[in-house]
Amino acid sequence: MSSKLLRKTASYGIFWIAVAAAGMSIDNSYYLQVLTFIGIHSILALGLNMLMGYAGQISLGHAAFYGLGAYTTAIMTVHYDLSPWLALPCAICLVILVAFIVGLPTLKLSGYYLGMGTLGFGMIVHIIFREWTSVTGGASGYVGIPPLELGAFSFSSSRNYFYLVWCTVLISIVLCQRLIDSRIGRALRSIHDSEHASKAVGVNTRNLKLQVFMLSAALAGVAGFLYAHFVSFISPGTFDFIVSIRIVTMVVIGGMASIWGALLGASLLTLLPEWLHAFSDFEMIVYGLILMLVMIILPQGLTRGILDIYERSHKKYFK
Amino acid sequence: MLRIRNLKCYYGRIIAVKGVSISVRKGELISLIGANGSGKSTLLNAICGLLPTWEGEIIFEEISLRGLSPPAIVKRGISLVPEGRLIFPPLSVMDNLKIGAYTMYRRKLHKNVLEDLEMVMTLFPVLKDRADQPAGTLSGGEQQMVAIGRALMARPRLLILDEPSMGLAPLLVEKILKTLAVLRDEGLTILLVEQNAQAALKIADRGYVLETGKIVLQGTASELLTDDEVKRAYLGKDYGDFYEGRI
């Protein structure tokens, strides 16, 4: 086994030990719920990181895919009384199909224009969630989404759901990492650096951008599915423009083109509002200030910034 | 091997290449020389599928390249070393080279890719020591080696280079051109686009001179090197004195 592979396997092992330790040691259901939300946000950030961090394509409408995943499972399980495990592949397929249809024209754009295109898509989907009352429940949302069950085993307890979500996070991490280490991953990074050069070496940039957009959307759909069955109630407000921006912020703050950065960004942006309750009316101001400070001090994101600080101090004290 | 007939390339309403006809025979090293804005890079982009709007005929190994995408053209055996190298700076030298094999990277071809990596490292031994280094940290000459190595990884039958000498010290230019001559001697067909006419013609079999989108001169490399018009326009009027050591 090569040292790189060994390091990666060890990091997955350490990650799972940390998850298991948290699951076993934390009894407070509020903390477990917060950690579960971190997991769901991590899946969102991981997906967007593939698109933004690796392929260099921005999406300001990712909450739409998150919402589509959640609404599909909600409608199928509540309205049609189908099993959630049947709703999951349907939600993923629908989200991938929508990503394909949206991505085909919008991914011809780049930079600000791509941002505006995806932003517009996100807004349209949000309006559909809010206005198509007969199907989506309108502004009041969808209630009574059943908890997940696997035979006699129920995921209704916070602890069980926590394990389910973090297991999905681990699968997503391994999937993304495998992809990044493959020729597809190299091609994605080459598109990020220079699409022209990438084409010159024979990379089908249009197809690859579309494929990574669909993968990213699929992960957002899975996150939406997990969210819907966790909170059992969804409304359009959870999938609006601000949420799309928050997912982008998670990726940028954590550090683009870094798997662990996406997790770090998702953790920070989920935990900050919880920590800042003490500031009551000034909560959002302090939240914004902290994010500004992080970007000023560590412009490449937390992961790269922390690594740089470590490398500098290592050089200073050990050489 | 490559036959271009009456090629016209457009950027919107602007016509950048005005009816160019050239041919490249198997195993030849052809130099295409011309000043800035003469349409050299446009011509190459048209061959490689990077410029979709053109008229005329581009035939490679008896097959028209009309409507083919850049990946399809790479798969057919044409590799481009783009102007300004355009390597991928954050990626390691090894990853840059592996991307070159993108179109042929299937499991059954994995062995071929490893062999090709070995071949590139033999051709440019300096890259072996820097395999894990980000390509952006290499010197200009080394980056050019990565760009050429990356193009070779696709196992091309026709290698096209767009101004490989750009921004390099004369010694490095000589080294790069010597390598191209070696590749030609090994049977690779090369189309070399250069502003550095003297250096390009020195290793070429034949050459074309492109001016404002038209071929104005063509012939064997030795004919062009001694042509008064080429000397005046591209080599400098005292070229002969300089290379004979009188200046």
Side-chain angles (χ1 to χ4, degrees):
Chain A
M1 197 187 271
S2 74
S3 65
K4 243 182 188 175
L5 189 63
L6 198 68
R7 240 190 357 251
K8 268 171 199 157
T9 314
S11 64
Y12 300 147
I14 293 167
F15 170 78
W16 191 247
I17 289 167
V19 168
M24 283 188 284
S25 61
I26 298 172
D27 287 324
N28 186 318
S29 68
Y30 165 73
Y31 290 143
L32 281 172
Q33 278 175 19
V34 171
L35 287 173
T36 305
F37 278 124
I38 291 177
I40 292 171
H41 293 160
S42 296
I43 298 168
L44 279 169
L46 274 168
L48 189 62
N49 189 35
M50 291 300 290
L51 183 72
M52 263 179 71
Y54 288 96
Q57 311 299 310
I58 192 162
S59 169
L60 297 179
H62 241 54
F65 299 120
Y66 184 35
L68 279 171
Y71 271 98
T72 308
T73 191
I75 292 166
M76 291 185 77
T77 52
V78 178
H79 199 76
Y80 295 103
D81 209 18
L82 285 170
S83 157
W85 302 113
L86 199 66
L88 176 62
C90 292
I92 294 173
C93 288
L94 178 78
V95 165
I96 288 174
L97 180 70
V98 172
F100 176 76
I101 294 166
V102 172
L104 218 51
T106 50
L107 289 171
K108 285 180 184 163
L109 307 171
S110 61
Y112 304 124
Y113 302 102
L114 178 60
M116 296 306 285
T118 49
L119 175 68
F121 160 71
M123 285 177 156
I124 290 168
V125 172
H126 180 245
I127 291 169
I128 292 172
F129 289 155
R130 207 183 54 209
E131 302 299 329
W132 199 8
T133 316
S134 59
V135 175
T136 62
S140 45
Y142 231 97
V143 290
I145 302 165
L148 293 178
E149 284 169 355
L150 201 60
F153 187 77
S154 170
F155 289 100
S156 55
S157 79
S158 298
R159 194 182 310 277
N160 290 351
Y161 213 87
F162 163 86
Y163 281 124
L164 174 72
V165 165
W166 281 96
C167 195
T168 315
V169 174
L170 182 65
I171 293 168
S172 307
I173 290 173
V174 176
L175 174 80
C176 291
Q177 190 66 62
R178 294 271 301 166
L179 206 63
I180 291 158
D181 293 339
S182 71
R183 71 183 192 114
I184 303 289
R186 279 193 292 273
L188 286 176
R189 284 180 287 169
S190 76
I191 293 174
H192 194 169
D193 285 330
S194 164
E195 197 167 336
H196 182 75
S198 201
K199 279 181 187 166
V201 296
V203 176
N204 192 334
T205 55
R206 197 189 64 164
N207 281 3
L208 206 54
K209 283 195 295 186
L210 191 58
Q211 284 162 7
V212 76
F213 188 59
M214 292 192 292
L215 168 75
S216 178
L219 285 174
V222 171
F225 168 87
L226 290 170
Y227 176 82
H229 290 283
F230 182 51
V231 295
S232 76
F233 162 75
I234 53 169
S235 66
T238 315
F239 312 107
D240 64 3
F241 160 70
I242 299 295
V243 176
S244 290
I245 298 296
R246 194 167 290 160
I247 307 168
V248 172
T249 316
M250 285 174 193
V251 175
V252 176
I253 292 278
M256 294 217 279
S258 162
I259 295 273
W260 302 107
L263 258 69
L264 210 55
S267 308
L268 185 73
L269 265 89
T270 312
L271 288 172
L272 260 184
E274 305 296 324
W275 290 336
L276 297 177
H277 280 323
F279 291 92
S280 58
D281 290 349
F282 301 102
E283 183 187 326
M284 285 316 286
I285 296 172
V286 179
Y287 180 78
L289 272 175
I290 290 174
L291 296 187
M292 277 170 67
L293 280 175
V294 170
M295 286 325 292
I296 291 167
I297 299 165
L298 307 168
Q300 288 181 302
L302 285 171
T303 325
R304 188 67 255 166
I306 292 168
L307 278 173
D308 282 349
I309 291 168
Y310 168 77
E311 278 164 14
R312 273 203 300 272
S313 55
H314 189 78
K315 266 184 196 165
K316 194 174 171 184
Y317 296 110
F318 297 99
K319 283 192 178 172
Chain B
M1 181 175 235
L2 179 74
R3 209 170 60 239
I4 297 174
R5 291 276 173 271
N6 197 25
L7 183 73
K8 291 175 186 163
C9 301
Y10 301 90
Y11 289 109
R13 285 182 182 176
I14 298 163
I15 178 161
V17 173
K18 305 165 184 168
V20 164
S21 297
I22 63 169
S23 66
V24 182
R25 289 191 284 267
K26 196 168 187 288
E28 269 189 329
L29 196 159
I30 300 293
S31 282
L32 185 66
I33 55 177
N36 271 339
S38 60
K40 303 184 302 291
S41 299
T42 306
L43 176 65
L44 297 194
N45 285 340
I47 298 171
C48 297
L50 297 166
L51 185 80
T53 48
W54 52 266
E55 285 172 11
E57 215 177 38
I58 304 177
I59 308 285
F60 177 66
E61 294 180 333
E62 304 311 321
I63 291 166
S64 171
L65 299 185
R66 178 169 295 284
L68 291 186
S69 66
I73 290 171
V74 174
K75 274 182 198 163
R76 286 196 184 276
I78 300 180
S79 272
L80 171 72
V81 179
E83 184 180 0
R85 302 181 276 275
L86 296 186
I87 55 155
F88 306 114
L91 269 64
S92 69
V93 168
M94 187 58 89
D95 280 347
N96 265 276
L97 295 176
K98 281 181 178 172
I99 284 179
Y102 183 79
T103 50
M104 56 182 297
Y105 217 113
R106 297 280 180 272
R107 195 159 285 276
K108 62 176 181 180
L109 295 174
H110 186 67
K111 196 170 151 269
N112 292 354
V113 174
L114 295 179
E115 278 172 18
D116 292 347
L117 275 173
E118 198 55 45
M119 179 270 291
V120 171
M121 297 298 185
T122 313
L123 205 60
F124 304 114
V126 66
L127 299 184
K128 203 167 195 167
D129 306 327
R130 303 183 187 272
D132 296 324
Q133 202 171 315
T137 61
L138 303 183
S139 70
E142 287 164 348
Q143 288 187 10
Q144 189 63 63
M145 291 173 197
V146 173
I148 295 172
R150 185 180 66 185
L152 290 173
M153 288 295 294
R155 291 201 168 187
R157 291 187 294 286
L158 172 64
L159 179 68
I160 299 179
L161 299 103
D162 195 354
E163 303 207 26
S165 72
M166 189 192 262
L168 298 185
L171 269 177
L172 278 168
V173 174
E174 201 180 318
K175 203 172 173 182
I176 297 282
L177 293 180
K178 264 185 187 165
T179 309
L180 295 182
V182 168
L183 288 170
R184 184 264 318 270
D185 294 342
E186 286 173 0
L188 183 64
T189 312
I190 297 173
L191 176 59
L192 172 64
V193 165
E194 262 298 340
Q195 279 196 62
N196 186 344
Q198 195 268 329
L201 289 171
K202 231 167 124 181
I203 58 160
D205 300 304
R206 289 189 298 122
Y208 292 89
V209 179
L210 196 63
E211 244 178 50
T212 58
K214 288 178 187 164
I215 298 287
V216 291
L217 267 175
Q218 57 180 297
T220 62
S222 52
E223 278 168 7
L224 291 178
L225 272 169
T226 52
D227 186 281
D228 287 340
E229 194 58 27
V230 176
K231 273 190 195 174
R232 185 192 55 75
Y234 298 101
L235 305 176
K237 65 179 174 153
D238 295 324
Y239 154 80
D241 292 342
F242 181 85
Y243 282 96
E244 281 153 28
R246 289 198 288 271
I247 292 177

